[in-house]
């Protein structure tokens, strides 16, 4: 009888500039069995894989806050799935778990790296709005920006997994929220569906000056709080609109993840506006995750936070979906449905 198999995707080659399909390789392996598990290990069949911008950083060897992804190994990634077999006391067959099983249909994880799904939201939402991206938004809004009623907050990549939650949390606190996003569909979505006050379509601006002008009209009294996800000319336009004593949560600079040098001409505003800027990595603040996850789940269940998922079908679609994410093709959280 033929052994059952599963598929995984490994990093085949490091990208030079933009990520290409040839950077990945799909492999077929024999399914692990219960007998293959060591003490405290768990065998998980993955249902959803999360695709996230940080993966682009891991594909390169540039010095960063985390070690690079190894060549010929399963691509790193957060997953939700079901326990198939367990040699860990805390996990039983049939449990839904969140882990870092990577770009693979199944895998073995040490129980210490898994978390039982406890929230009442749909399984996939544990990778987005009630998962790492949601907690990132929560951390920036509550711990760094300390958003208050009456503040004007600007968030870039506004319709994405993090940005969409940032804007909604800020609205719940009584802020005026201005998004920046690419294209009319994304801008309409954050205004009409998520309740942002305004959204700048940066693709419409032909020059940096036009982008600045559009933003300064939407944030007419200036920016109190900036949640930065993109970098480049988008960040620069926001810097030019800062109010005195503005606060900036520097969450991501995706426009430079292929190695482009940051374009920042308005750094002087950090000084002249006496601004506070804090970069952060959400996984360094695990102490706030339980509170953040609980609050986010409650807000989603009550309908106070909405979310959208872009779901690619099947593991083999992951490379194309990831390239799409880096090119702005996703609306909301980018996922891959594995089974
Ligand atoms: N610090 C942390 O702990 C942490 C945790 C999670 C995420 N992040 C960062 O947060 C940011 C958003 O992550 P996410 O998961 O929510 O992704 P996302 O917003 O769902 O997807 C990425 C979005 O970035 C925008 N984008 C891509 N390239 C761009 C470019 N060259 N110029 C302008 N916009 C570009 C696109 O939106 P548009 O079409 O609107 O441009 C794209 O849809 C990323 O920078 C990520 O690295 C940081």
């Amino acid at each position: 009888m033929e052994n059952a198999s599963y598929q995984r995707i490994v990093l085949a080659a490091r990208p030079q500039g933009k990520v290409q399909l040839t950077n990945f390789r799909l492999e077929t392996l024999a399914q692990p069995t219960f007998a293959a598990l060591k003490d405290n290990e768990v065998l998980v069949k993955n249902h959803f894989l999360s695709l996230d911008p940080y993966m682009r950083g891991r594909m390169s060897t540039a010095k960063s806050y985390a070690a690079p992804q190894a060549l010929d190994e399963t691509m790193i990634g957060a997953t939700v799935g079901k326990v198939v077999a367990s040699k860990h006391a805390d996990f039983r067959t049939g449990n839904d778990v969140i882990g870092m099983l990577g770009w693979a249909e199944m895998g073995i994880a040490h129980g210490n790296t898994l978390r039982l799904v406890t929230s009442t939201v749909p399984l996939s939402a544990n990778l987005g709005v009630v998962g790492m991206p949601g907690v990132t938004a929560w951390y920036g809004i509550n711990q760094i920006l300390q958003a208050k009623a009456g503040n004007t907050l600007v968030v870039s990549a506004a319709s994405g997994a993090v940005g969409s939650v940032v804007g909604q949390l800020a609205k719940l606190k009584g802020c005026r929220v201005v998004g920046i996003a690419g294209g009319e569909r994304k801008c309409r979505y954050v205004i009409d569906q998520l309740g942002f006050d305004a959204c700048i379509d940066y693709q419409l601006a032909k020059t940096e000056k036009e982008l600045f002008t559009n933003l300064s009209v939407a944030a007419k009294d200036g920016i109190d709080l900036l949640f930065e996800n993109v970098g480049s000319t988008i960040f620069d336009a926001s810097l030019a609109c800062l109010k005195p004593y503005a606060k900036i949560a520097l969450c991501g600079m995706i426009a430079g993840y292929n190695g482009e040098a940051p374009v920042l001409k308005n750094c002087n505003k950090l000084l002249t506006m006496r601004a506070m800027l804090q970069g952060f990595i959400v996984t360094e603040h695990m102490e706030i995750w339980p509170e953040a996850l609980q609050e986010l789940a409650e807000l989603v269940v009550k309908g106070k936070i909405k979310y959208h998922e872009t779901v690619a079908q099947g593991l083999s679609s992951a490379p194309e979906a990831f390239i799409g994410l880096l090119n702005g093709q996703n609306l909301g959280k980018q996922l891959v449905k594995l089974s």
Side-chain angles (χ1 to χ4, degrees):
M1 199 180 83
E2 215 177 292
N3 278 343
S5 61
Y6 76 101
Q7 294 194 305
R8 69 169 185 168
I9 290 175
V10 302
L11 178 62
R14 300 200 187 279
Q16 308 296 325
K18 284 196 165 198
V19 176
Q20 313 284 338
L21 291 176
T22 50
N23 296 129
F24 305 96
R25 187 174 63 246
L26 184 67
E27 294 184 345
T28 302
L29 303 174
Q31 275 191 19
T33 58
F34 180 76
L37 296 181
K38 299 192 191 94
D39 283 352
N40 294 314
E41 284 187 339
V42 181
L43 178 60
V44 182
K45 187 171 190 313
N46 296 325
H47 292 331
F48 287 96
L49 163 69
S50 171
L51 294 179
D52 297 274
Y54 75 83
M55 294 165 174
R56 175 62 187 88
R58 302 291 177 89
M59 291 171 83
S60 112
T61 51
K63 192 166 187 282
S64 183
Y65 61 91
Q69 155 81 44
L71 283 171
D72 301 318
E73 294 292 341
T74 308
M75 277 290 297
I76 188 173
T79 47
V80 283
K82 226 174 238 321
V83 173
V84 177
S86 171
K87 287 190 183 172
H88 191 289
D90 295 348
F91 301 96
R92 291 180 187 188
T93 303
N95 282 161
D96 290 324
V97 288
I98 299 157
M100 294 295 291
L101 278 293
W103 296 28
E105 290 170 333
M106 65 190 315
I108 294 174
H110 193 287
N112 293 353
T113 66
L114 297 174
R115 186 160 50 85
L116 281 170
V117 172
T118 51
S119 61
T120 50
V121 298
L123 205 53
S124 58
N126 291 282
L127 295 175
V129 60
V130 187
M132 185 277 282
V135 176
T136 303
W138 190 98
Y139 185 85
I141 286 288
N142 289 298
Q143 305 291 110
I144 298 179
L145 299 178
Q146 296 167 359
K148 294 195 176 47
N151 289 161
T152 294
L153 176 140
V154 168
V155 56
S156 51
S159 73
V162 175
S164 58
V165 182
V166 168
Q168 292 181 88
L169 288 175
K171 281 304 296 175
L172 288 169
K173 291 191 182 288
C175 298
R176 174 175 164 76
V177 174
V178 178
I180 305 177
E184 190 186 353
R185 177 179 176 232
K186 291 185 175 184
C187 286
R188 283 260 62 90
Y189 169 70
V190 302
I191 295 172
D192 296 345
Q193 305 294 320
L194 306 184
F196 288 26
D197 297 286
C199 187
I200 303 299
D201 177 358
Y202 68 85
Q203 292 174 350
L204 285 182
K206 290 180 197 67
T207 60
E208 289 167 31
K209 187 160 180 281
E210 195 176 329
L211 181 60
F212 162 73
T213 305
N214 294 347
L215 187 58
S216 52
V217 169
K220 59 180 176 4
D221 298 324
I223 299 172
D224 297 292
L225 308 174
L226 174 60
F227 194 108
E228 185 53 47
N229 284 322
V230 169
S232 187
T233 50
I234 291 173
F235 186 23
D236 214 33
S238 295
L239 286 176
C241 297
L242 293 181
K243 267 167 83 168
Y245 305 104
K247 289 190 238 171
I248 303 167
L250 183 51
C251 175
M253 300 184 86
I254 191 169
Y257 289 180
N258 286 327
E260 301 87 341
V263 187
L264 291 179
K265 299 175 187 159
N266 295 313
C267 280
N268 62 316
K269 293 286 177 183
L270 294 170
L271 172 63
T272 56
M273 293 299 123
R274 291 84 81 204
M276 188 281 294
L277 182 150
Q278 174 76 59
F280 71 104
I281 299 298
V282 72
T283 45
E284 287 184 350
H285 304 281
M286 295 313 290
E287 72 287 351
I288 60 97
W289 279 54
E291 182 189 352
L293 288 172
Q294 192 184 334
E295 191 178 320
L296 290 162
E298 283 168 13
L299 290 169
V300 169
V301 168
K302 285 182 189 155
K304 293 190 171 177
I305 288 190
K306 297 183 184 140
Y307 66 98
H308 182 88
E309 296 169 338
T310 299
V311 185
Q313 298 298 323
L315 181 68
S316 61
S317 68
E320 203 174 338
F322 181 58
I323 291 168
L325 169 81
L326 297 174
N327 289 329
Q329 281 166 24
N330 62 308
L331 179 71
K333 175 68 203 151
Q334 180 68 57
L335 297 166
V336 181
K337 185 158 176 17
L338 300 175
S339 62

